[in-house]
Amino acid sequence: MSKSFHCFPLPRCYIRFIRKVNEKKGADGQDEIRKAFDFMLGYVGADMASGPVWMEYITFLKSLPAQTAQEESIRMTAIRKTYQKAIITPTHHVEQLWREYENFENSVSRQLAKGLVSEYQPKYNSARAVYREQKKYVDEIDYNMLAVPPTGSFKEEQQWMAWKRFLTFEKGNPQRIDSVSSNKRIIFTYEQCLMYLYHYQDVWYDYATWHAKSGSIDSAIKVFQRALKALPDSDTLKYAYAELEESRGAIQPARKIYESLLGDGVNATALAHIQFIRFLRRNEGVEAARKYFLDARKSPDCSYHVYVAYALIAFCLDKDSKIAHNIFEAGLKRFMHEPVYILEYADFLSRLNDERNIRALFERALSSLPPEESVEVWKRYIQFEQTYGDLASMLKVEQRRKEALSRTGEDGASALESSLQDVVSRYSFMDLWPCSSKDLDHLARQEWLAKNINKKAEKSAVSNGPATLDKIPAGLASNSNVSGKVIYPDTSQTRLEFHLAQQRLGSRLLLTHCRILLDWHPMYLMRC
């Protein structure tokens, strides 16, 4: 038996129960059984494994007594319509159902059968072709999978991809049926998928979005509501739901969703505050956003992100640079110790072309930040001087940075020396460098060697003796008691990462990235 018969023991048990309860109630009982079949097939009749249920329904209809010619006509019409629905549904039993349908029509009237069979033959052929194609996707699905939160296992990822492929196939409407019938199949496939991927946010989102794009906003809302019952802690789905409500002009429902993200306001995340401020600015205006920001910043958990976000709203949307400046200044009293806040403030001042205050900001920040946390601020200060300053100020800041950061490492005085890397950094712009990528490669290796050669030499001298240092870089020699031959590892991947980094990063970040790579692969030095 195919593994896609997964869901049919339950519906068939339901039918058996209904038949047992109603089989002795005469015409009323038969009518209840027929309604039960119609109800069930309305939900699961599109499944590939529904063939036996269609056949059971037809058998039931054939067994109904007909006392008059009119009752017989009604019975035959019901059987015919059921057959015609079954033979255009891609199921495992579609070929058997077609043969039975042909026999049924011929048993009623050979003359009438010829026209009806000719009419439905192309529809049956299409259903059979789609079934064969659909089966390829269904066979990849494990219907024994439990609906548990994703763990990232390979099997789970395989099943996620299998369902995605199956949904894409159904959305393509391969049978070219009417949109109502096609949408019904897609809904059924999504519902099946959620039986197994119940805890997958993206599946819920895709389902709701598909409804919205199909013009059924109410259905999309119901899906989001179900999704949040399944995953009540998913902020992502809440934002998506609020977005849908806002996009259709339902501002109050959207506001309630945002308020659910904020909770009691005490433990609200910075992101929730920011997104609610943006929502208020879009829908209720400048004053509502300002009022909420003033309340939010009183919270002890309010982070610097909220200040930055609202300052940028005031500057970019409200075109009020004075208020934005005041917000950044107010935040500086609380977040002077946050390098990222300093850099965001500096970016804002750069947009104002406020050279004097940018320098003042960097000086204030660097006087209070510990050296180990000031690296990025120093980098931005140097970039600023390279853009706005003269040569003397540029060299002065570079030297100050070296002096400040030399105290954080083991290099000591050697870190204060000028090097060619400084020139490369000073005369680079974006992804343009004053030397070739090969030169950058060489300079980076030299910088690493200069910082590590002494301590490597000490370790190597202990194990291999001083003679080894004359032949190969210290610390990279193999144990002389084993072999005097140097083994060169494959570092092609490291080289690739290095050159990709050259394309992505500015020279200062590039050299840092290179040092990290060299720390991973010290033998990389031996390749040149």
Side-chain angles (χ1 to χ4, degrees):
M1 180 179 289
S2 170
K3 62 184 178 182
S4 66
F5 277 81
H6 54 284
C7 65
F8 280 87
L10 181 60
R12 297 185 77 178
C13 284
Y14 164 72
I15 289 296
R16 283 198 296 271
F17 170 76
I18 295 296
R19 293 186 72 168
K20 187 172 183 179
V21 169
N22 293 280
E23 60 186 3
K24 295 181 180 180
K25 293 182 180 180
D28 291 340
Q30 292 166 358
D31 190 50
E32 288 298 319
I33 295 171
R34 184 163 52 246
K35 288 179 181 178
F37 269 113
D38 289 335
F39 170 78
M40 187 189 65
L41 288 170
Y43 277 98
V44 300
D47 192 273
M48 289 179 67
S50 64
V53 184
W54 285 104
M55 295 166 74
E56 185 177 346
Y57 188 22
I58 292 167
T59 301
F60 166 74
L61 292 173
K62 287 179 178 179
S63 69
L64 293 177
Q67 303 298 332
T68 66
Q70 184 180 4
E71 290 179 352
E72 177 64 14
S73 176
I74 293 173
R75 184 173 72 93
M76 298 302 285
T77 300
I79 295 170
R80 178 176 288 113
K81 286 183 178 179
T82 306
Y83 264 126
Q84 289 171 351
K85 288 180 182 178
I87 61 176
I88 64 171
T89 304
T91 66
H92 296 300
H93 295 78
V94 67
E95 294 182 8
Q96 182 179 345
L97 283 161
W98 173 253
R99 289 193 298 270
E100 290 184 8
Y101 175 59
E102 282 186 306
N103 293 335
F104 166 75
E105 292 293 5
N106 284 315
S107 68
V108 175
S109 169
R110 287 188 176 276
Q111 185 175 359
L112 182 63
K114 186 177 294 185
L116 288 171
V117 169
S118 298
E119 178 185 351
Y120 276 86
Q121 179 87 49
K123 298 177 182 180
Y124 155 70
N125 289 338
S126 176
R128 183 178 61 175
V130 169
Y131 161 71
R132 291 173 179 172
E133 188 67 24
Q134 189 184 68
K135 190 174 184 299
K136 298 176 184 177
Y137 296 96
V138 172
D139 286 346
E140 294 180 350
I141 295 170
D142 178 11
Y143 290 101
N144 294 316
M145 178 180 174
L146 296 176
V148 296
T151 63
S153 70
F154 178 66
K155 181 180 179 181
E156 288 175 349
E157 291 177 352
Q158 279 187 317
Q159 288 303 297
W160 179 86
M161 290 188 290
W163 278 110
K164 286 283 187 178
R165 286 191 288 265
F166 188 25
L167 284 163
T168 301
F169 172 77
E170 288 291 357
K171 289 177 183 178
N173 190 8
Q175 203 171 343
R176 301 296 180 264
I177 54 180
D178 63 275
S179 59
V180 174
S181 299
S182 175
N183 287 348
K184 191 174 180 181
R185 287 192 185 177
I186 295 168
I187 290 170
F188 175 73
T189 306
Y190 266 117
E191 293 292 342
Q192 273 194 316
C193 176
L194 287 169
M195 290 172 63
Y196 305 95
L197 304 184
Y198 186 73
H199 298 278
Y200 284 66
Q201 299 180 76
D202 63 303
V203 178
W204 285 107
Y205 176 75
D206 288 348
Y207 190 15
T209 303
W210 174 81
H211 270 303
K213 289 180 178 178
S214 301
S216 183
I217 300 297
D218 290 341
S219 296
I221 289 171
K222 288 178 182 177
V223 170
F224 271 125
Q225 290 171 346
R226 289 172 56 197
L228 291 176
K229 287 182 180 178
L231 302 166
D233 297 327
S234 174
D235 289 355
T236 307
L237 287 176
K238 290 178 183 177
Y239 285 124
Y241 182 19
E243 183 179 276
L244 176 65
E245 292 284 22
E246 184 181 352
S247 67
R248 73 186 188 112
I251 304 305
Q252 287 308 310
R255 183 183 179 119
K256 287 182 179 179
I257 298 169
Y258 278 105
E259 288 171 348
S260 74
L261 284 157
L262 293 167
D264 57 8
V266 177
N267 297 316
T269 65
L271 184 60
H273 286 306
I274 292 167
Q275 296 303 339
F276 190 46
I277 290 171
R278 290 177 174 176
F279 170 79
L280 292 173
R281 174 63 179 76
R282 288 194 301 268
N283 296 286
E284 299 182 23
V286 177
E287 188 58 29
R290 185 188 72 83
K291 185 177 182 300
Y292 183 79
F293 167 72
L294 293 177
D295 290 338
R297 73 175 192 168
K298 296 175 184 176
S299 169
D301 296 325
C302 180
S303 72
Y304 66 86
H305 306 83
V306 180
Y307 281 77
V308 172
Y310 186 65
L312 294 179
I313 288 174
F315 178 60
C316 299
L317 299 182
D318 304 334
K319 312 300 180 185
D320 196 329
S321 59
K322 183 177 180 180
I323 289 181
H325 189 276
N326 290 341
I327 293 166
F328 271 117
E329 276 297 315
L332 200 61
K333 297 174 183 177
R334 291 179 60 178
F335 306 115
M336 180 66 83
H337 62 286
E338 294 284 355
V340 177
Y341 186 79
I342 303 301
L343 299 180
E344 289 290 341
Y345 191 5
D347 284 342
F348 165 73
L349 293 174
S350 295
R351 294 183 188 183
L352 298 179
N353 203 25
D354 191 347
E355 178 183 342
R356 182 176 62 83
N357 279 325
I358 294 175
R359 281 197 176 92
L361 173 64
F362 282 133
E363 294 295 344
R364 288 164 65 190
L366 291 170
S367 65
S368 61
L369 282 173
E372 61 272 10
E373 295 180 14
S374 65
V375 176
E376 292 300 322
V377 178
W378 277 113
K379 286 181 180 179
R380 188 67 63 85
Y381 196 3
I382 288 173
Q383 288 175 1
F384 167 78
E385 291 295 348
Q386 289 173 351
T387 303
Y388 292 91
D390 55 26
L391 181 60
S393 64
M394 183 172 24
L395 295 175
K396 181 180 179 181
V397 171
E398 284 189 7
Q399 187 61 30
R400 286 177 58 199
R401 183 189 76 129
K402 287 187 176 184
E403 291 171 357
L405 299 185
S406 66
R407 296 190 292 271
T408 65
E410 300 175 3
D411 304 317
S414 63
L416 300 175
E417 298 176 2
S418 296
S419 67
L420 195 57
Q421 285 93 329
D422 297 331
V423 179
V424 170
S425 174
R426 200 175 301 140
Y427 291 94
S428 299
F429 182 74
M430 296 177 67
D431 59 345
L432 305 176
W433 300 287
C435 58
S436 66
S437 59
K438 182 178 180 180
D439 291 334
L440 282 175
D441 189 341
H442 182 66
L443 288 171
R445 292 197 305 274
Q446 282 185 319
E447 182 180 16
W448 182 89
L449 181 61
K451 289 187 177 182
N452 292 276
I453 196 68
N454 291 332
K455 56 186 177 183
K456 297 287 185 181
E458 292 170 5
K459 295 178 183 178
S460 182
V462 171
S463 60
N464 299 311
T468 328
L469 300 175
D470 296 331
K471 298 179 182 179
I472 59 174
L476 303 180
S478 58
N479 192 317
S480 59
N481 296 328
V482 178
S483 171
K485 182 180 178 181
V486 176
I487 300 175
Y488 300 91
D490 180 10
T491 58
S492 57
Q493 184 62 33
T494 306
R495 281 180 167 275
L496 174 61
E497 292 188 36
F498 174 79
H499 292 299
L500 288 175
Q502 287 178 322
Q503 297 174 25
R504 291 196 307 266
L505 307 173
S507 59
R508 286 165 296 282
L509 293 179
L510 167 67
L511 295 176
T512 302
H513 184 75
C514 180
R515 285 195 295 271
I516 293 172
L517 293 176
L518 291 171
D519 284 339
W520 288 346
H521 299 283
M523 288 299 290
Y524 182 47
L525 294 171
M526 301 296 294
R527 295 298 293 257
C528 292

